[in-house]
Amino acid sequence: MALSEFQLIHRYFESSRFAAATGAGVIVGVGDDAAVLRMPPESDLAVSIDTLVRGVHFPADMAPADIAWRSLAVNLSDMAAMGAQPLWFTLALTMDRADESWLEPFSRTLAEIAARFGVALVGGDTTRGPLTISIEIHGAVPRSGALLRSGAHPGDGLYVTGWPGLAALGLRRLGSGEVVSDDPAVAAFLRPEPRVAFGIGLRGLASAAIDVSDGLLADAGHIAERSAVALEIDVARLPLAAALQGLETREDAWSLCLSGGDDYELCFTAPAQSAGAIARLAQRHALPCTRIGTVSAGEGVHCHGFEPPRAGFDHFGGLA
Amino acid sequence: MALSEFQLIHRYFESSRFAAATGAGVIVGVGDDAAVLRMPPESDLAVSIDTLVRGVHFPADMAPADIAWRSLAVNLSDMAAMGAQPLWFTLALTMDRADESWLEPFSRTLAEIAARFGVALVGGDTTRGPLTISIEIHGAVPRSGALLRSGAHPGDGLYVTGWPGLAALGLRRLGSGEVVSDDPAVAAFLRPEPRVAFGIGLRGLASAAIDVSDGLLADAGHIAERSAVALEIDVARLPLAAALQGLETREDAWSLCLSGGDDYELCFTAPAQSAGAIARLAQRHALPCTRIGTVSAGEGVHCHGFEPPRAGFDHFGGLA
C-alpha cells in the first residue's frame, strides 16, 4: 500500500520510538515549519552536516540498521572533535520509494543510537530520489571553548584514540567475503563508536582536534594546515589492533592505520602539561589513547620509519 | 582538470564570494569539524532543513542560478513562517561531478541571495551522486515568540500574502514552452521571494502561520490539523494575480490559487484586533495581504463557492 510522506514521517520518525531522546531544550520538535530550540546558558552552538550516499559512502547492500548507525555516528563524531555536547539533529532522507521493510530497521536503530547519545530528532525532510541521508547535528560548547583544528603549537604532542585502520580492514573483509562472526574489524566499520564523552573530556587539555573519517594522514593534514605547523608521526608508535598485527606484512598494517578511513577516532594535539590528564581521561573511558608523534615548525605531515603509499579519500579526486 | 573536494569548497564556497554575508555571531565558519555560532541574547534557535532533488523538486533543465535561488529561498521561507530572523545556513551538495560551469553560476547566485537576506554560509558537505541540494537554515526567534501552526482559534481571520497560484502558472508555462520575457508568473516560480521581513512583522499579531509550498489548501490544512480547528475559505475573496484573471476560466484560476505549490507566500491566522496592524504591515512592505476566510470550530479546510479538484503535492503519494 502506498504510504504518504506524512504517514511515513508520523509512523517512523514522529512516533514514540524517538521519545526516549526528546532532549533538553526542545521547545518545538518535528511538525512545524521549523524546530524551536533553547541553548544551554553561556554556550555556543556547534553545527555540522554530513551526507551519506549509497554506493559512495557505504556499500550498496549495507543493512538499513547499519546505515542508520553510521549516519548519526559520523555526525556525533564531528561533535566529539569539537568537544561539543550533542543535543539535537535533523534528518533529510531521500529514497526511491517508501519501503517499509527498509524504514522499520532504519528508524529503529536511528532511535537506538539517538537515545544512547541523548540527542533528539527535531526535524527533517523526506524526498523521493536515490538513497541519500543528510544529518545535521547541533551541540553546545562552552563559549570560546570549542576544540578547533587551528590551535596546534610546535612542541605539542600528537595523539590518536582507539585503533585506526581497523575499520578499513573490516571494509576490506566485507568486500572479499571473508567475514567471521564477531570480527572486531567488521564491527569497527559497521558500528563506529563516536568519542563524544572523550571529546568533552579533552576541553581545556587539547590544543587542536579532528575526527578521523578520511584516514589518519589526511585528517592530521587538516590540523597541520589550519594550525600552520608540521606534524611528525613516529610510525613505530602507531597503535596496531590485534587484527592489524596479524596481517601478513607490517607495511600493510601501517598503510591501513595511516590511510584507512571510517574510523571516527579522534586525532588531537596537546601541550606537554596535558599528558598526565590525558592518560587519566583515557583510563577513565577505557579507551586507548596513544601519543604517535610531535608538532613541529613547518608544514605537512611527515611519517618517520615508513612511507605510506597513498593519501586519504576525496570524493571528487577521481573525476574529471 | 579534476577539481578536488577541497579545491571545490575553497573556490566556490569558502571564497570572498560569500564575504558580504558573514553575519553576526559566526565564531567559526566553514573549515572545521563544525561551525561555532553565538545566538543573540534572549532568543531561541529556529532550525529547518529542505532538500531539493533534480527532476522531483525542480525541472531537470533548470538553470543553476535558479536552483541556487530556490534552494535558499525555500528555507528562508520556513524562517518567515516562524517569524524568525534567519542568520546562518549549511549546504549539503551532492553532484555527479565537479562541473565548474554549473558551480560558478550556482555559487554566485547563492551568495547573492545570502547577502540580500543577511545569512552566512557556515558549513556544508560535498558528495558525489545525483544532483541533490540540502540546505539547513538557522534563525533566531524571541523566547516563546515563534509563530507556530498550532495557535489558530475560532473567530480568527485567515490571511494569505501575495498572489498564490502565480508560481504554478509559471511552471505550467515553462512546461508548455509559452514563455515571454518578464512574465511575472515565470518569475514567481523561478525566483520566489521569501516573506522574511513580513513574517518578523507578524510576531505578536498572527496566531498561527505556515508558508505555502505545497499549495494553499494543503498547507492551510496543516494549520487546521495542528490547531484542531476548521478553516473556512471564501473562494470569492481569493487574490487573483492579473495573469490568473486572464485565464480562460475562473475555475482554472481558483484551482491554481488553491492547489498550486511553490509560491512561498505566508498563510496565517490572526485575531480580529490584529486586523488594523496587519493592514499597516502590508502597506509598509508593499505586499498584498488578503483576508480569505475565517477560523471556526471543527476540522479540515472548507472552500465556499467552489470545489477544488485536487489536494497538494506529496512526494511519496504516487508510489507503491
PDB file of all heavy atoms in Angstrom, chain A residues 14 32 35 37-38 44-45 47 51 90 125 128 136 138 149 226 319, chain B residues 14 32 35 37-38 44-45 47 51 90 125 128 136 138 149 226 319:
ATOM      1  N   GLU A  14       8.098  10.392  13.932  1.00  0.00           N
ATOM      2  CA  GLU A  14       7.440  11.291  14.865  1.00  0.00           C
ATOM      3  C   GLU A  14       6.883  10.476  16.039  1.00  0.00           C
ATOM      4  O   GLU A  14       6.306  11.010  16.965  1.00  0.00           O
ATOM      5  CB  GLU A  14       6.285  12.012  14.147  1.00  0.00           C
ATOM      6  CG  GLU A  14       6.074  13.433  14.590  1.00  0.00           C
ATOM      7  CD  GLU A  14       4.982  14.081  13.739  1.00  0.00           C
ATOM      8  OE1 GLU A  14       4.453  13.455  12.805  1.00  0.00           O
ATOM      9  OE2 GLU A  14       4.656  15.226  14.040  1.00  0.00           O
ATOM     10  N   ASP A  32       6.451  21.401  12.723  1.00  0.00           N
ATOM     11  CA  ASP A  32       6.105  22.778  12.368  1.00  0.00           C
ATOM     12  C   ASP A  32       7.026  23.210  11.214  1.00  0.00           C
ATOM     13  O   ASP A  32       7.711  22.379  10.629  1.00  0.00           O
ATOM     14  CB  ASP A  32       6.230  23.694  13.595  1.00  0.00           C
ATOM     15  CG  ASP A  32       5.180  24.802  13.565  1.00  0.00           C
ATOM     16  OD1 ASP A  32       5.222  25.636  12.629  1.00  0.00           O
ATOM     17  OD2 ASP A  32       4.322  24.831  14.449  1.00  0.00           O
ATOM     18  N   ALA A  35      11.997  23.656  13.817  1.00  0.00           N
ATOM     19  CA  ALA A  35      12.107  23.325  15.231  1.00  0.00           C
ATOM     20  C   ALA A  35      12.488  24.592  15.993  1.00  0.00           C
ATOM     21  O   ALA A  35      13.115  25.495  15.427  1.00  0.00           O
ATOM     22  CB  ALA A  35      13.170  22.257  15.439  1.00  0.00           C
ATOM     23  N   LEU A  37      14.457  25.657  19.488  1.00  0.00           N
ATOM     24  CA  LEU A  37      15.393  25.023  20.423  1.00  0.00           C
ATOM     25  C   LEU A  37      16.026  26.062  21.330  1.00  0.00           C
ATOM     26  O   LEU A  37      16.314  27.174  20.886  1.00  0.00           O
ATOM     27  CB  LEU A  37      16.489  24.312  19.610  1.00  0.00           C
ATOM     28  CG  LEU A  37      15.949  23.348  18.538  1.00  0.00           C
ATOM     29  CD1 LEU A  37      17.031  22.976  17.538  1.00  0.00           C
ATOM     30  CD2 LEU A  37      15.362  22.111  19.198  1.00  0.00           C
ATOM     31  N   ARG A  38      16.218  25.694  22.578  1.00  0.00           N
ATOM     32  CA  ARG A  38      16.809  26.637  23.539  1.00  0.00           C
ATOM     33  C   ARG A  38      18.187  26.156  23.961  1.00  0.00           C
ATOM     34  O   ARG A  38      18.346  25.069  24.502  1.00  0.00           O
ATOM     35  CB  ARG A  38      15.905  26.799  24.759  1.00  0.00           C
ATOM     36  CG  ARG A  38      16.380  27.853  25.730  1.00  0.00           C
ATOM     37  CD  ARG A  38      15.257  28.340  26.620  1.00  0.00           C
ATOM     38  NE  ARG A  38      14.198  28.943  25.823  1.00  0.00           N
ATOM     39  CZ  ARG A  38      13.006  29.283  26.306  1.00  0.00           C
ATOM     40  NH1 ARG A  38      12.723  29.081  27.581  1.00  0.00           N
ATOM     41  NH2 ARG A  38      12.101  29.830  25.512  1.00  0.00           N
ATOM     42  N   ASP A  44      27.971  28.229  23.163  1.00  0.00           N
ATOM     43  CA  ASP A  44      27.849  28.473  21.728  1.00  0.00           C
ATOM     44  C   ASP A  44      27.290  27.225  21.067  1.00  0.00           C
ATOM     45  O   ASP A  44      27.393  26.123  21.593  1.00  0.00           O
ATOM     46  CB  ASP A  44      29.210  28.826  21.119  1.00  0.00           C
ATOM     47  CG  ASP A  44      29.631  30.261  21.447  1.00  0.00           C
ATOM     48  OD1 ASP A  44      28.740  31.096  21.703  1.00  0.00           O
ATOM     49  OD2 ASP A  44      30.843  30.525  21.450  1.00  0.00           O
ATOM     50  N   LEU A  45      26.702  27.455  19.889  1.00  0.00           N
ATOM     51  CA  LEU A  45      26.097  26.381  19.111  1.00  0.00           C
ATOM     52  C   LEU A  45      27.147  25.801  18.167  1.00  0.00           C
ATOM     53  O   LEU A  45      27.790  26.537  17.425  1.00  0.00           O
ATOM     54  CB  LEU A  45      24.932  26.975  18.313  1.00  0.00           C
ATOM     55  CG  LEU A  45      24.239  26.112  17.264  1.00  0.00           C
ATOM     56  CD1 LEU A  45      23.467  24.981  17.925  1.00  0.00           C
ATOM     57  CD2 LEU A  45      23.297  26.977  16.422  1.00  0.00           C
ATOM     58  N   VAL A  47      27.530  23.259  14.945  1.00  0.00           N
ATOM     59  CA  VAL A  47      26.654  22.716  13.902  1.00  0.00           C
ATOM     60  C   VAL A  47      27.489  22.021  12.839  1.00  0.00           C
ATOM     61  O   VAL A  47      28.469  22.580  12.354  1.00  0.00           O
ATOM     62  CB  VAL A  47      25.849  23.857  13.238  1.00  0.00           C
ATOM     63  CG1 VAL A  47      25.187  23.363  11.972  1.00  0.00           C
ATOM     64  CG2 VAL A  47      24.821  24.419  14.190  1.00  0.00           C
ATOM     65  N   THR A  51      26.525  14.088   4.684  1.00  0.00           N
ATOM     66  CA  THR A  51      25.649  13.376   3.760  1.00  0.00           C
ATOM     67  C   THR A  51      26.257  12.028   3.427  1.00  0.00           C
ATOM     68  O   THR A  51      27.447  11.935   3.150  1.00  0.00           O
ATOM     69  CB  THR A  51      25.491  14.197   2.466  1.00  0.00           C
ATOM     70  OG1 THR A  51      24.965  15.471   2.794  1.00  0.00           O
ATOM     71  CG2 THR A  51      24.567  13.498   1.484  1.00  0.00           C
ATOM     72  N   THR A  90      18.666  16.851  12.794  1.00  0.00           N
ATOM     73  CA  THR A  90      17.629  16.809  11.761  1.00  0.00           C
ATOM     74  C   THR A  90      18.049  15.780  10.720  1.00  0.00           C
ATOM     75  O   THR A  90      19.231  15.512  10.534  1.00  0.00           O
ATOM     76  CB  THR A  90      17.435  18.163  11.068  1.00  0.00           C
ATOM     77  OG1 THR A  90      18.672  18.566  10.473  1.00  0.00           O
ATOM     78  CG2 THR A  90      16.978  19.233  12.042  1.00  0.00           C
ATOM     79  N   ASP A 125      13.172  16.110   6.529  1.00  0.00           N
ATOM     80  CA  ASP A 125      12.556  16.248   5.222  1.00  0.00           C
ATOM     81  C   ASP A 125      12.678  14.892   4.547  1.00  0.00           C
ATOM     82  O   ASP A 125      13.715  14.245   4.620  1.00  0.00           O
ATOM     83  CB  ASP A 125      13.327  17.313   4.423  1.00  0.00           C
ATOM     84  CG  ASP A 125      12.594  17.742   3.179  1.00  0.00           C
ATOM     85  OD1 ASP A 125      11.367  17.513   3.091  1.00  0.00           O
ATOM     86  OD2 ASP A 125      13.239  18.308   2.282  1.00  0.00           O
ATOM     87  N   ARG A 128      11.817  12.023  -2.588  1.00  0.00           N
ATOM     88  CA  ARG A 128      11.962  10.882  -3.470  1.00  0.00           C
ATOM     89  C   ARG A 128      13.213  11.044  -4.318  1.00  0.00           C
ATOM     90  O   ARG A 128      13.459  12.118  -4.882  1.00  0.00           O
ATOM     91  CB  ARG A 128      10.720  10.763  -4.364  1.00  0.00           C
ATOM     92  CG  ARG A 128      10.683   9.543  -5.261  1.00  0.00           C
ATOM     93  CD  ARG A 128       9.278   9.284  -5.769  1.00  0.00           C
ATOM     94  NE  ARG A 128       8.682  10.463  -6.388  1.00  0.00           N
ATOM     95  CZ  ARG A 128       8.896  10.844  -7.646  1.00  0.00           C
ATOM     96  NH1 ARG A 128       9.694  10.157  -8.422  1.00  0.00           N
ATOM     97  NH2 ARG A 128       8.298  11.922  -8.133  1.00  0.00           N
ATOM     98  N   GLU A 136      22.077  16.686  10.066  1.00  0.00           N
ATOM     99  CA  GLU A 136      22.757  17.838  10.646  1.00  0.00           C
ATOM    100  C   GLU A 136      22.632  17.726  12.141  1.00  0.00           C
ATOM    101  O   GLU A 136      21.549  17.477  12.675  1.00  0.00           O
ATOM    102  CB  GLU A 136      22.161  19.168  10.157  1.00  0.00           C
ATOM    103  CG  GLU A 136      22.791  20.349  10.869  1.00  0.00           C
ATOM    104  CD  GLU A 136      22.890  21.600  10.017  1.00  0.00           C
ATOM    105  OE1 GLU A 136      23.137  21.483   8.807  1.00  0.00           O
ATOM    106  OE2 GLU A 136      22.727  22.696  10.589  1.00  0.00           O
ATOM    107  N   HIS A 138      23.461  19.328  16.057  1.00  0.00           N
ATOM    108  CA  HIS A 138      23.614  20.580  16.797  1.00  0.00           C
ATOM    109  C   HIS A 138      24.056  20.245  18.205  1.00  0.00           C
ATOM    110  O   HIS A 138      23.468  19.374  18.846  1.00  0.00           O
ATOM    111  CB  HIS A 138      22.278  21.319  16.859  1.00  0.00           C
ATOM    112  CG  HIS A 138      21.654  21.529  15.521  1.00  0.00           C
ATOM    113  ND1 HIS A 138      20.996  20.517  14.842  1.00  0.00           N
ATOM    114  CD2 HIS A 138      21.599  22.612  14.718  1.00  0.00           C
ATOM    115  CE1 HIS A 138      20.577  20.986  13.678  1.00  0.00           C
ATOM    116  NE2 HIS A 138      20.923  22.249  13.570  1.00  0.00           N
ATOM    117  N   ARG A 149      40.669  23.023  14.804  1.00  0.00           N
ATOM    118  CA  ARG A 149      41.799  22.400  14.111  1.00  0.00           C
ATOM    119  C   ARG A 149      43.033  23.299  14.153  1.00  0.00           C
ATOM    120  O   ARG A 149      44.124  22.864  13.816  1.00  0.00           O
ATOM    121  CB  ARG A 149      41.428  22.156  12.645  1.00  0.00           C
ATOM    122  CG  ARG A 149      40.275  21.182  12.456  1.00  0.00           C
ATOM    123  CD  ARG A 149      39.920  21.029  10.986  1.00  0.00           C
ATOM    124  NE  ARG A 149      38.825  20.069  10.818  1.00  0.00           N
ATOM    125  CZ  ARG A 149      38.291  19.754   9.643  1.00  0.00           C
ATOM    126  NH1 ARG A 149      38.752  20.316   8.533  1.00  0.00           N
ATOM    127  NH2 ARG A 149      37.295  18.881   9.573  1.00  0.00           N
ATOM    128  N   ARG A 226      45.593  24.036   9.064  1.00  0.00           N
ATOM    129  CA  ARG A 226      44.867  25.096   9.785  1.00  0.00           C
ATOM    130  C   ARG A 226      45.704  25.693  10.913  1.00  0.00           C
ATOM    131  O   ARG A 226      45.503  26.849  11.289  1.00  0.00           O
ATOM    132  CB  ARG A 226      43.564  24.528  10.368  1.00  0.00           C
ATOM    133  CG  ARG A 226      42.529  24.156   9.330  1.00  0.00           C
ATOM    134  CD  ARG A 226      41.612  25.320   8.988  1.00  0.00           C
ATOM    135  NE  ARG A 226      40.891  25.030   7.757  1.00  0.00           N
ATOM    136  CZ  ARG A 226      40.073  25.881   7.148  1.00  0.00           C
ATOM    137  NH1 ARG A 226      39.883  27.097   7.622  1.00  0.00           N
ATOM    138  NH2 ARG A 226      39.454  25.543   6.038  1.00  0.00           N
ATOM    139  N   LEU A 319      37.472  12.337 -10.490  1.00  0.00           N
ATOM    140  CA  LEU A 319      36.529  12.717 -11.537  1.00  0.00           C
ATOM    141  C   LEU A 319      37.041  13.891 -12.347  1.00  0.00           C
ATOM    142  O   LEU A 319      37.638  14.808 -11.818  1.00  0.00           O
ATOM    143  CB  LEU A 319      35.184  13.082 -10.907  1.00  0.00           C
ATOM    144  CG  LEU A 319      34.463  11.911 -10.233  1.00  0.00           C
ATOM    145  CD1 LEU A 319      33.311  12.420  -9.411  1.00  0.00           C
ATOM    146  CD2 LEU A 319      33.956  10.962 -11.291  1.00  0.00           C
TER     147      LEU A 319
ATOM    148  N   GLU B  14      34.109  28.909   0.005  1.00  0.00           N
ATOM    149  CA  GLU B  14      34.855  29.463   1.121  1.00  0.00           C
ATOM    150  C   GLU B  14      35.441  30.811   0.723  1.00  0.00           C
ATOM    151  O   GLU B  14      36.092  31.475   1.508  1.00  0.00           O
ATOM    152  CB  GLU B  14      35.999  28.491   1.483  1.00  0.00           C
ATOM    153  CG  GLU B  14      36.290  28.401   2.961  1.00  0.00           C
ATOM    154  CD  GLU B  14      37.355  27.322   3.233  1.00  0.00           C
ATOM    155  OE1 GLU B  14      37.801  26.647   2.292  1.00  0.00           O
ATOM    156  OE2 GLU B  14      37.722  27.180   4.387  1.00  0.00           O
ATOM    157  N   ASP B  32      36.124  23.822   9.770  1.00  0.00           N
ATOM    158  CA  ASP B  32      36.489  22.992  10.915  1.00  0.00           C
ATOM    159  C   ASP B  32      35.522  21.810  10.968  1.00  0.00           C
ATOM    160  O   ASP B  32      34.758  21.583  10.033  1.00  0.00           O
ATOM    161  CB  ASP B  32      36.485  23.820  12.207  1.00  0.00           C
ATOM    162  CG  ASP B  32      37.576  23.363  13.167  1.00  0.00           C
ATOM    163  OD1 ASP B  32      37.510  22.208  13.618  1.00  0.00           O
ATOM    164  OD2 ASP B  32      38.497  24.156  13.442  1.00  0.00           O
ATOM    165  N   ALA B  35      30.721  24.261  12.596  1.00  0.00           N
ATOM    166  CA  ALA B  35      30.688  25.702  12.779  1.00  0.00           C
ATOM    167  C   ALA B  35      30.401  25.992  14.250  1.00  0.00           C
ATOM    168  O   ALA B  35      29.760  25.191  14.936  1.00  0.00           O
ATOM    169  CB  ALA B  35      29.599  26.313  11.910  1.00  0.00           C
ATOM    170  N   LEU B  37      28.677  28.974  16.570  1.00  0.00           N
ATOM    171  CA  LEU B  37      27.771  30.106  16.353  1.00  0.00           C
ATOM    172  C   LEU B  37      27.245  30.620  17.680  1.00  0.00           C
ATOM    173  O   LEU B  37      26.952  29.835  18.583  1.00  0.00           O
ATOM    174  CB  LEU B  37      26.601  29.638  15.480  1.00  0.00           C
ATOM    175  CG  LEU B  37      27.037  28.954  14.172  1.00  0.00           C
ATOM    176  CD1 LEU B  37      25.884  28.195  13.543  1.00  0.00           C
ATOM    177  CD2 LEU B  37      27.615  29.984  13.206  1.00  0.00           C
ATOM    178  N   ARG B  38      27.103  31.924  17.788  1.00  0.00           N
ATOM    179  CA  ARG B  38      26.614  32.510  19.037  1.00  0.00           C
ATOM    180  C   ARG B  38      25.234  33.132  18.821  1.00  0.00           C
ATOM    181  O   ARG B  38      25.065  34.038  17.993  1.00  0.00           O
ATOM    182  CB  ARG B  38      27.591  33.564  19.555  1.00  0.00           C
ATOM    183  CG  ARG B  38      27.192  34.117  20.921  1.00  0.00           C
ATOM    184  CD  ARG B  38      28.377  34.744  21.615  1.00  0.00           C
ATOM    185  NE  ARG B  38      29.427  33.739  21.826  1.00  0.00           N
ATOM    186  CZ  ARG B  38      30.664  34.010  22.257  1.00  0.00           C
ATOM    187  NH1 ARG B  38      31.005  35.263  22.521  1.00  0.00           N
ATOM    188  NH2 ARG B  38      31.544  33.041  22.424  1.00  0.00           N
ATOM    189  N   ASP B  44      15.505  32.051  21.038  1.00  0.00           N
ATOM    190  CA  ASP B  44      15.564  30.625  20.772  1.00  0.00           C
ATOM    191  C   ASP B  44      16.031  30.416  19.338  1.00  0.00           C
ATOM    192  O   ASP B  44      15.917  31.303  18.486  1.00  0.00           O
ATOM    193  CB  ASP B  44      14.182  29.987  20.977  1.00  0.00           C
ATOM    194  CG  ASP B  44      13.835  29.803  22.442  1.00  0.00           C
ATOM    195  OD1 ASP B  44      14.758  29.714  23.268  1.00  0.00           O
ATOM    196  OD2 ASP B  44      12.634  29.773  22.759  1.00  0.00           O
ATOM    197  N   LEU B  45      16.567  29.227  19.113  1.00  0.00           N
ATOM    198  CA  LEU B  45      17.069  28.845  17.802  1.00  0.00           C
ATOM    199  C   LEU B  45      15.948  28.205  16.986  1.00  0.00           C
ATOM    200  O   LEU B  45      15.289  27.289  17.459  1.00  0.00           O
ATOM    201  CB  LEU B  45      18.204  27.836  18.015  1.00  0.00           C
ATOM    202  CG  LEU B  45      18.804  27.131  16.801  1.00  0.00           C
ATOM    203  CD1 LEU B  45      19.569  28.120  15.941  1.00  0.00           C
ATOM    204  CD2 LEU B  45      19.726  25.992  17.268  1.00  0.00           C
ATOM    205  N   VAL B  47      15.285  26.091  13.504  1.00  0.00           N
ATOM    206  CA  VAL B  47      16.074  25.271  12.588  1.00  0.00           C
ATOM    207  C   VAL B  47      15.155  24.560  11.614  1.00  0.00           C
ATOM    208  O   VAL B  47      14.165  23.954  12.018  1.00  0.00           O
ATOM    209  CB  VAL B  47      16.878  24.218  13.380  1.00  0.00           C
ATOM    210  CG1 VAL B  47      17.452  23.165  12.454  1.00  0.00           C
ATOM    211  CG2 VAL B  47      17.973  24.878  14.170  1.00  0.00           C
ATOM    212  N   THR B  51      15.318  19.689   1.294  1.00  0.00           N
ATOM    213  CA  THR B  51      16.110  19.026   0.265  1.00  0.00           C
ATOM    214  C   THR B  51      15.444  19.211  -1.085  1.00  0.00           C
ATOM    215  O   THR B  51      14.234  19.029  -1.208  1.00  0.00           O
ATOM    216  CB  THR B  51      16.220  17.514   0.574  1.00  0.00           C
ATOM    217  OG1 THR B  51      16.801  17.353   1.855  1.00  0.00           O
ATOM    218  CG2 THR B  51      17.063  16.806  -0.464  1.00  0.00           C
ATOM    219  N   THR B  90      23.744  25.960   6.278  1.00  0.00           N
ATOM    220  CA  THR B  90      24.718  24.980   5.811  1.00  0.00           C
ATOM    221  C   THR B  90      24.198  24.388   4.504  1.00  0.00           C
ATOM    222  O   THR B  90      22.994  24.360   4.264  1.00  0.00           O
ATOM    223  CB  THR B  90      24.932  23.839   6.811  1.00  0.00           C
ATOM    224  OG1 THR B  90      23.682  23.204   7.067  1.00  0.00           O
ATOM    225  CG2 THR B  90      25.510  24.361   8.123  1.00  0.00           C
ATOM    226  N   ASP B 125      28.835  20.161   3.070  1.00  0.00           N
ATOM    227  CA  ASP B 125      29.378  18.862   2.706  1.00  0.00           C
ATOM    228  C   ASP B 125      29.158  18.722   1.208  1.00  0.00           C
ATOM    229  O   ASP B 125      28.097  19.052   0.695  1.00  0.00           O
ATOM    230  CB  ASP B 125      28.605  17.769   3.467  1.00  0.00           C
ATOM    231  CG  ASP B 125      29.286  16.422   3.376  1.00  0.00           C
ATOM    232  OD1 ASP B 125      30.488  16.378   3.064  1.00  0.00           O
ATOM    233  OD2 ASP B 125      28.609  15.411   3.616  1.00  0.00           O
ATOM    234  N   ARG B 128      29.496  12.991  -4.031  1.00  0.00           N
ATOM    235  CA  ARG B 128      29.245  12.587  -5.405  1.00  0.00           C
ATOM    236  C   ARG B 128      27.951  11.782  -5.462  1.00  0.00           C
ATOM    237  O   ARG B 128      27.718  10.897  -4.639  1.00  0.00           O
ATOM    238  CB  ARG B 128      30.428  11.743  -5.905  1.00  0.00           C
ATOM    239  CG  ARG B 128      30.355  11.328  -7.332  1.00  0.00           C
ATOM    240  CD  ARG B 128      31.740  10.871  -7.813  1.00  0.00           C
ATOM    241  NE  ARG B 128      32.331   9.861  -6.956  1.00  0.00           N
ATOM    242  CZ  ARG B 128      32.044   8.546  -7.013  1.00  0.00           C
ATOM    243  NH1 ARG B 128      31.180   8.109  -7.908  1.00  0.00           N
ATOM    244  NH2 ARG B 128      32.641   7.698  -6.215  1.00  0.00           N
ATOM    245  N   GLU B 136      20.167  23.598   5.360  1.00  0.00           N
ATOM    246  CA  GLU B 136      19.569  23.775   6.677  1.00  0.00           C
ATOM    247  C   GLU B 136      19.790  25.209   7.077  1.00  0.00           C
ATOM    248  O   GLU B 136      20.882  25.755   6.956  1.00  0.00           O
ATOM    249  CB  GLU B 136      20.187  22.833   7.709  1.00  0.00           C
ATOM    250  CG  GLU B 136      19.660  23.120   9.101  1.00  0.00           C
ATOM    251  CD  GLU B 136      19.561  21.893   9.995  1.00  0.00           C
ATOM    252  OE1 GLU B 136      19.234  20.800   9.494  1.00  0.00           O
ATOM    253  OE2 GLU B 136      19.806  22.038  11.202  1.00  0.00           O
ATOM    254  N   HIS B 138      19.252  28.358   9.993  1.00  0.00           N
ATOM    255  CA  HIS B 138      19.199  28.609  11.429  1.00  0.00           C
ATOM    256  C   HIS B 138      18.823  30.072  11.628  1.00  0.00           C
ATOM    257  O   HIS B 138      19.414  30.952  11.014  1.00  0.00           O
ATOM    258  CB  HIS B 138      20.560  28.360  12.064  1.00  0.00           C
ATOM    259  CG  HIS B 138      21.124  27.002  11.755  1.00  0.00           C
ATOM    260  ND1 HIS B 138      21.713  26.714  10.551  1.00  0.00           N
ATOM    261  CD2 HIS B 138      21.141  25.863  12.468  1.00  0.00           C
ATOM    262  CE1 HIS B 138      22.087  25.441  10.555  1.00  0.00           C
ATOM    263  NE2 HIS B 138      21.746  24.904  11.698  1.00  0.00           N
ATOM    264  N   ARG B 149       2.171  26.589  13.983  1.00  0.00           N
ATOM    265  CA  ARG B 149       0.972  26.202  13.227  1.00  0.00           C
ATOM    266  C   ARG B 149      -0.213  25.977  14.164  1.00  0.00           C
ATOM    267  O   ARG B 149      -1.353  25.883  13.713  1.00  0.00           O
ATOM    268  CB  ARG B 149       1.254  24.898  12.468  1.00  0.00           C
ATOM    269  CG  ARG B 149       2.356  25.020  11.426  1.00  0.00           C
ATOM    270  CD  ARG B 149       2.631  23.677  10.760  1.00  0.00           C
ATOM    271  NE  ARG B 149       3.664  23.812   9.734  1.00  0.00           N
ATOM    272  CZ  ARG B 149       4.138  22.804   9.001  1.00  0.00           C
ATOM    273  NH1 ARG B 149       3.664  21.573   9.213  1.00  0.00           N
ATOM    274  NH2 ARG B 149       5.062  23.009   8.089  1.00  0.00           N
ATOM    275  N   ARG B 226      -3.043  21.057  13.224  1.00  0.00           N
ATOM    276  CA  ARG B 226      -2.239  21.327  14.423  1.00  0.00           C
ATOM    277  C   ARG B 226      -2.986  22.202  15.427  1.00  0.00           C
ATOM    278  O   ARG B 226      -2.734  22.135  16.622  1.00  0.00           O
ATOM    279  CB  ARG B 226      -0.926  22.020  14.040  1.00  0.00           C
ATOM    280  CG  ARG B 226       0.023  21.138  13.272  1.00  0.00           C
ATOM    281  CD  ARG B 226       0.972  20.367  14.194  1.00  0.00           C
ATOM    282  NE  ARG B 226       1.619  19.297  13.443  1.00  0.00           N
ATOM    283  CZ  ARG B 226       2.417  18.377  13.995  1.00  0.00           C
ATOM    284  NH1 ARG B 226       2.661  18.393  15.292  1.00  0.00           N
ATOM    285  NH2 ARG B 226       2.948  17.445  13.263  1.00  0.00           N
ATOM    286  N   LEU B 319       3.558   6.564  -5.055  1.00  0.00           N
ATOM    287  CA  LEU B 319       4.436   5.400  -5.125  1.00  0.00           C
ATOM    288  C   LEU B 319       3.900   4.254  -4.306  1.00  0.00           C
ATOM    289  O   LEU B 319       3.322   4.449  -3.255  1.00  0.00           O
ATOM    290  CB  LEU B 319       5.816   5.780  -4.594  1.00  0.00           C
ATOM    291  CG  LEU B 319       6.555   6.791  -5.460  1.00  0.00           C
ATOM    292  CD1 LEU B 319       7.767   7.301  -4.736  1.00  0.00           C
ATOM    293  CD2 LEU B 319       6.975   6.154  -6.767  1.00  0.00           C
TER     294      LEU B 319
END
